[in-house]
Amino acid sequence: MLPYLTMNPFGFPVLSTTIFLPLAGVLFTLFMRSDRMIKVASFITTLLTLAVSVFLFANFDIKTPIFQFGENISWIAAYKINYTLGVDGISIMLVLLTTIISPIAVLSSWKAIQTRVKEFMIAILIMETALIGVFCALDFILFYFFWEAMLIPMYLLIAIWGGPNKDYASLKFFIYTLFGSVFLLVAIIAIYLVNGSFSIPEAMFRNYSFQFQFWVFLAFGIAFAIKVPMFPFHTWLPAAHTEAPTVGSVFLASILLKMGTYGFMRFCLPIVPQASFYFAPLMIVLSLIGIIYGGFVCLSQTDMKKLVAYSSVAHMGFVILGIFTFSIYGFIGSLFQMLNHGITTGGLFLLVGIVYERTHSRQIYDNAGLGKIMPIYMFFFGLFAVSSFAFPGTNSFVGELYVLIGTFATNRIAGFFAIVGAVIAAAYMLKLLKQIAWGREDKRDIRDMNLREIIYMLPLAVFVLWVGIFPRPFVNVMEYTLVNLAMQLDKVSH
């Protein structure tokens, strides 16, 4: 029995099942010839994975901060590398987000992807396995394996099914993320050389020298800042989003970016806490630059997809800002914003994809004035647009409010600039909404959303309102873990 891990109480390895169900779906699709059957099998696989993750969520003990549903098997005994899995109040939220987005991604690509369907669905299923694995792994080598495994299918999604500049965008994405992975590996090896173990929980809150923490934070920080992506490491994101197919953009925005913020929360804060405090002013300044810079760039965009992509730079700035306030409000706000950004920005990318399938243009002018022509579309677009700038009653309002409370409590100047960023976000999103809804009047023959599109947008819309109106169930799940993290950091700071 490991002190930081409650073992799995069920008769089957529930976390391994969640991770490897999509991979089992890959085996089925390999033997299928019909594109339709491949899509159906992939959709059913992602639905089953979602069902298992909901089972996990429903059985999660909200009154303990330690890792749950543990599995621990010796993998490479000579180097103390273990197959160790577990989830706490942080990671279970991101596992749930991944399994919610995956079936929606499959359904949204039903008509859009007509070439190499089998390879496309296999890439999505492998990516789902890797992403869930990242959030469940409690061994550094296992974590790094899943971290790297995600890179290949995402690269292929952009390189094969991307836009006209897909080669440039996919190569830039690959080089940036691989560069970050090198620093991640260096940090992991450094921790192993000191601890003699690759166990992630055993590496937390140990008495490392400040010099050691300084260099490990730098290595972790570069790796995670690229993945977030933080200013000034953000330049790969707009190119990747613009050239990726809609599903690629959804996975990028909804989940992949959260790997970076998850890394800051899971590794930097508990493993190198003193260095985290030391670098906090720099991280806060960079996050504020990202919030305001991202907002101003959005104001000048004419491409809907680029606008949503740059808005991610601003939104992720709020996540980093909340993390480095070291307050419970900041932590809850950051984790909420990870979940909210996945739901809201993922939804906006899907809506851009829906209109692109009809008009074959992502330019705002070409898609202006859809209010009368596509009323159902405008309902969803309006809901996700107001959610994006944190309108009260929507999910983003809850997360942003927590982040701002945490920021004002610790640094009022930072809080002021964050408010400025929030105002800019409202300006560019309302400008976009006005142009798309009432931009011009004509008699274009564009059909509204069909039943399939409504079905995959509806769950996201429900989450926008559910989290916005009644967030308590989600706070309950994350609260004990984050309170414990804040208390541990408070001890270090004194």
Side-chain angles (χ1 to χ4, degrees), residues 227-254:
K227 192 71 80 178
V228 169
M230 284 181 69
F231 179 89
F233 301 104
H234 65 285
T235 59
W236 65 267
L237 184 71
H241 268 310
T242 307
E243 298 304 321
T246 298
V247 169
S249 296
V250 171
F251 266 105
L252 263 176
S254 298

Side-chain angles (χ1 to χ4, degrees), residues 162-207:
N165 296 317
K166 59 189 179 185
D167 292 338
Y168 166 76
S170 58
L171 187 63
K172 193 170 184 179
F173 164 78
F174 192 82
I175 290 173
Y176 263 75
T177 48
L178 195 64
F179 181 75
S181 297
V182 172
F183 284 92
L184 177 60
L185 187 58
V186 168
I188 289 173
I189 292 171
I191 292 170
Y192 172 73
L193 291 176
V194 172
N195 289 344
S197 164
F198 286 107
S199 169
I200 294 172
E202 287 178 11
M204 295 178 178
F205 294 108
R206 297 189 61 164
N207 192 23

